[in-house]
Amino acid sequence: MREVLYYAPTELTEATAILADHRDKAAVLAGGTDLLPKLNYYEVKPHALLYIGRLGLSSIHNGSSALTIGATTTTADLATHHLVQQYAPALAQAARLSGSVAIQNAATIGGNIANASPAADLVVALLALDASVRLLSHSGQRDVHLADFFLGPHLTILQPDELITQIHVPLSPGKTEFLKLGRRKGQTLAVVSVAVRLQLDGDLCHDARIVLGSMAPTPLRCRTAEHLLRGQKITTDLIHQAATQAIAESSPITDQRATAWYRKKAGEALVQRALLQALDKKEVRP
Amino acid sequence: MTQYVGQAMPRYDGIGQVTGTTKYVDDIVLPGMLYAKCLRSPVHKGIIRHLDLSAAERTPGVVGVLTAQDVPGQNIYGASGDQPVFNPDHIRYKGERIAAVVAVDEDTCMEALEKVKLEIEEQEPVFDMFEAMKPGAPIVRPGTTHNLHEYMPGMTTRVIKLGDVEQGFAEADLIIEGRYQTTQQDHAPIEPHVSVAYLDPANRLVIHTVSQCLYFHLSQLVRVFGLPMSQIRYIGGTIGGGFGGKNDIHADHVAGLAALKFRKPVKYRETRREDLRYSGKRGVFVMEYKTGVKKDGRLVANHIKEYHDTGAYGGFSAYATEKCGMFASGPYWIPNILVEAKTIYTNKVVSISMRGFAIINGQSTMEIQMGKIAEALGMDPWELRFINAWRDGDMGASRYIVRGAGALEAMKKAAELAGVQLPAHLMAMSSRRR
Amino acid sequence: MKQQVLTFILNGEEVAVLVTPTETLLDVLRERLQITGPKRGCDDGECGACTVLLDGEPVRSCLTLALTVEGRTVTTVEGLMVKGELDRLQKAFYERGAFQCGFCTPGMLMVAKSLLAKNPNPSRDEIRSYMAGNLCRCGSYEEIIEAIQAVAAGEY
Ligand SMILES: Cc1cc2nc3c(=O)[nH]c(=O)nc-3n(C[C@H](O)[C@H](O)[C@H](O)COP(=O)(O)OP(=O)(O)OC[C@H]3O[C@@H](n4cnc5c(N)ncnc54)[C@H](O)[C@@H]3O)c2cc1C
Ligand code: FES
Ligand code: FES
């Protein structure tokens, strides 16, 4: 039988104290949809399980400059919450397209970020929205841009004694889109996913975000492609160029879901489609 | 009685399925039941040099271990009678069973398995059939000199012959070649492999099985256990899908051996991941076609070279190879057919039966070939198929007379469903006459 | 290993059971409580055969650590019947043969139950998308969709 301690604190200070005690011997458990397969198959052997579902971190608030989303907010809540639909429709769309109903009811936004899969749907959308995360440990708190958070597949800057407590999504204007291509339509991990955000100034592009999922060791912001759009008049030609550039910045692998070759071909089409569809979208206004 | 004819009736066992009361094998939990987990080879090919299970055996909660030495009968099973239950020496594929740990629960089994000391002298494996056929290729079966199945001593090609293909090619206006491959495929029933075994008060070995073919397996199991058939109560009938995968023994041998040795109820189940990685699969087929055709679309000769990857053991492959070859010309009348089929060993998991039993492998590749032929002739693919489809009285590759042919009628229905308007002269055709 | 008491509402009744921290809800239901309606198809969250309702919402019991359901309400296929009467979905699945081997059925029923509770009149596409996480290897999807539609249409 496995010797494991189980904690389900209701106070954040308790939770961070437990983490400080056990450090990397503890596993944080939120929805469990990434951790439990590993636990069931003996791939991880934590000494302690810290369940964070009772910390009261499952809420969505609208501040003056950002949406604040609690780390244990479920994907199901993100998909349906009116604030997310209103201010971060790309995130709601990513939530709707991730997993299936039973997965969405358990899966959390904090888990999607901490797990750091290159295919993480919510992360792809959050990067396009310039989100940041609040990290808390017993010794303090820091806010980190999500773009600076990931180091590689399942590798992040998160310290063993830190918890993600909140996600901040700045309220900024723009037209957004999230698209995902999987092996099938339901409950599927992305072969390639893309989130885009276009801030327009008349018919000029003031600023742009193009983010790819499953196309690099981490979800990828395609900064050169974004730069191509910035300050320019958006034309079909320019969109083609940006898509080609975005794929040039990616470095997909061949795995059980698709070949690298296919990912590049499909990815280019998906970026183009996302940019075109974003232009037709209603503008988000903070 | 008369009121039932032609009516759709609910399933006789359906209430159990919708209320969750149907007992599948993994639903059986018996008092004092032990669990088994297997030590599997981490390498594709090699020789076991050292196996030390003592630390595993000493783990608290472990009741004991099983190896080849614990097999009271013969350490052999499988459709071809060539697979060891526990491999004692020459590993042929990654994931092959070497030993089992039996304990009070699966957590303890897993903990004990980590303490096993296993040394295997790794050898170079071969995974590709065509590599395996080359001179000097790694030999999959120790003690043999090549990797080809022998249908009779020295006979490595199974030949199926109708008419004379050379004469057929001479008559042909066009010869079209094609090479196609079908992939390995898992059965993936939602119920994984599981077995529960115990000794009843009369000292008979009772096994609750997910077997799809109890009598095939019973005859294999009596050999493994060294028991007369009368001493085994083999209970099956409720399974969560099989699709041919449960035509092979995956768990009953291990559970049965453990129950016999430890005289307690034992459950042995494979995880989904074990099942996907290590259980039998539909094997890879490579089909090379050379088809002769007249300008008017009549097929006159089909020469097929068939290669079937059986993996590390024979499984059902020799038979599947034959069946595939027999039907690899599709439901079409071709007077001259030559099939040369080989079954090849590689260091992969075993190829076993799966839905359609290899027939669909050859039939699907023939349909791709038909598409290619239609293109070469500049003929509508429906037309090509209608002209050649079997009529009653035609002859198949292994000289069976076709009766009750229905390909034409099936194609008409398919066209209707697909919204394809077929021309009148095709619609007038019938399987009853040419 | 220290076992802990887990208390929750199972199919309308409070149960208390000793569990260890690494056990899943599926382990506890099947192995400790002999509630074997939820099936173990993968232990990986992929197949849906283990799906139960947690406070009315479908979740994977194989991915739910047992101790996390402390004080919550769990409904399995065993809890669908009311006073010995089949639920309408059970009737429709039974009469319309919405299964072959039946191994996926308990999970299918629970997700369908939740769908109709939220959306009493789902379209075919809504049914397909809501049920997408439940695999039926036997391929009874058409009959499953029809059974749900029949219940929605008031035929049961
Ligand atoms: C069948 C299936 C389908 C899936 N489909 C998708 C999909 O389509 N798209 C997708 O993106 N993902 C998918 N996933 C993956 C998974 O559901 C998501 O990544 C989910 O968001 C993880 O959240 P969780 O709360 O379940 O994480 P958990 O499993 O609880 O945790 C995941 C990891 O993050 C850590 N962690 C969790 N929360 C915190 C926190 N607040 N602070 C610090 N560390 C934390 C945990 O320690 C663990 O290492 C799927 C999973 C399954 C099983
Ligand atoms: S057993 Fe839980 S999803 Fe398959
Ligand atoms: S009925 Fe067999 S898996 Fe659905």
Side-chain angles (χ1 to χ4, degrees), chain B residues 353-419:
Chain B
S353 60
M354 183 166 179
R355 300 196 113 172
F357 223 145
I359 293 175
I360 59 167
N361 293 72
Q363 292 200 326
S364 55
T365 49
M366 180 63 187
E367 289 308 324
I368 311 173
Q369 175 76 350
M370 289 295 275
K372 202 167 177 182
I373 294 167
E375 214 173 277
L377 288 171
M379 183 181 262
D380 175 52
W382 291 92
E383 174 118 24
L384 179 69
R385 288 181 169 88
F386 270 64
I387 293 171
N388 291 288
W390 273 339
R391 271 59 164 188
D392 283 348
D394 284 346
M395 192 178 265
S398 58
R399 297 175 199 217
Y400 45 87
I401 304 288
V402 174
R403 294 191 202 290
L408 275 174
E409 289 69 24
M411 287 192 284
K412 286 184 201 173
K413 185 76 197 170
E416 184 194 320
L417 291 172

Side-chain angles (χ1 to χ4, degrees), chain B residues 257-275:
Chain B
L257 287 170
L260 282 174
K261 181 167 178 185
F262 303 109
R263 312 197 76 76
K264 284 267 191 80
V266 178
K267 181 181 279 186
Y268 172 60
R269 53 186 170 190
E270 286 188 333
T271 61
R272 170 64 55 194
R273 292 189 194 174
E274 278 181 293
D275 183 350

Side-chain angles (χ1 to χ4, degrees), chain C residues 26 39-50 60-63:
Chain C
L26 183 64
K39 300 295 176 219
R40 193 188 301 277
C42 66
D43 252 346
D44 235 341
E46 295 285 346
C47 76
C50 69
R60 300 291 202 239
S61 62
C62 72
L63 298 186

Side-chain angles (χ1 to χ4, degrees), chain B residues 69-91:
Chain B
Q69 279 148 28
D70 296 296
V71 180
Q74 286 169 279
N75 186 22
I76 284 292
Y77 79 106
S80 296
D82 59 350
Q83 276 178 266
V85 179
F86 297 115
N87 192 317
D89 42 34
H90 292 275
I91 295 298

Side-chain angles (χ1 to χ4, degrees), chain B residues 7 10 14 22 73 79 94 202-203 217 235 270 290 320 357 372-373 380 387:
Chain B
Q7 299 299 310
T22 297
K94 186 172 174 177
N203 213 27
H217 290 172
I235 305 171
E270 286 188 333
K290 182 177 166 194
F357 223 145
K372 202 167 177 182
I373 294 167
D380 175 52
I387 293 171

Side-chain angles (χ1 to χ4, degrees), chain B residues 120-192:
Chain B
I120 298 183
E121 181 187 322
E122 223 176 314
Q123 295 173 323
E124 194 199 334
V126 59
F127 300 125
D128 179 85
M129 294 191 267
F130 297 93
E131 290 300 319
M133 280 189 282
K134 286 184 183 161
I139 295 294
V140 176
R141 296 161 302 165
T144 61
T145 54
H146 59 79
N147 291 319
L148 288 162
H149 174 76
E150 295 186 29
Y151 281 84
M152 278 191 276
M155 189 183 107
T156 56
T157 304
R158 183 78 171 88
V159 175
I160 302 167
K161 205 167 165 184
L162 179 70
D164 177 351
V165 274
E166 285 318 318
Q167 196 188 318
F169 287 129
E171 290 168 14
D173 294 322
L174 213 61
I175 291 175
I176 290 113
E177 299 190 50
R179 184 175 195 272
Y180 314 106
Q181 174 170 334
T182 61
T183 58
Q184 207 181 39
Q185 198 179 8
D186 191 77
H187 311 79
I190 306 292
E191 174 195 51

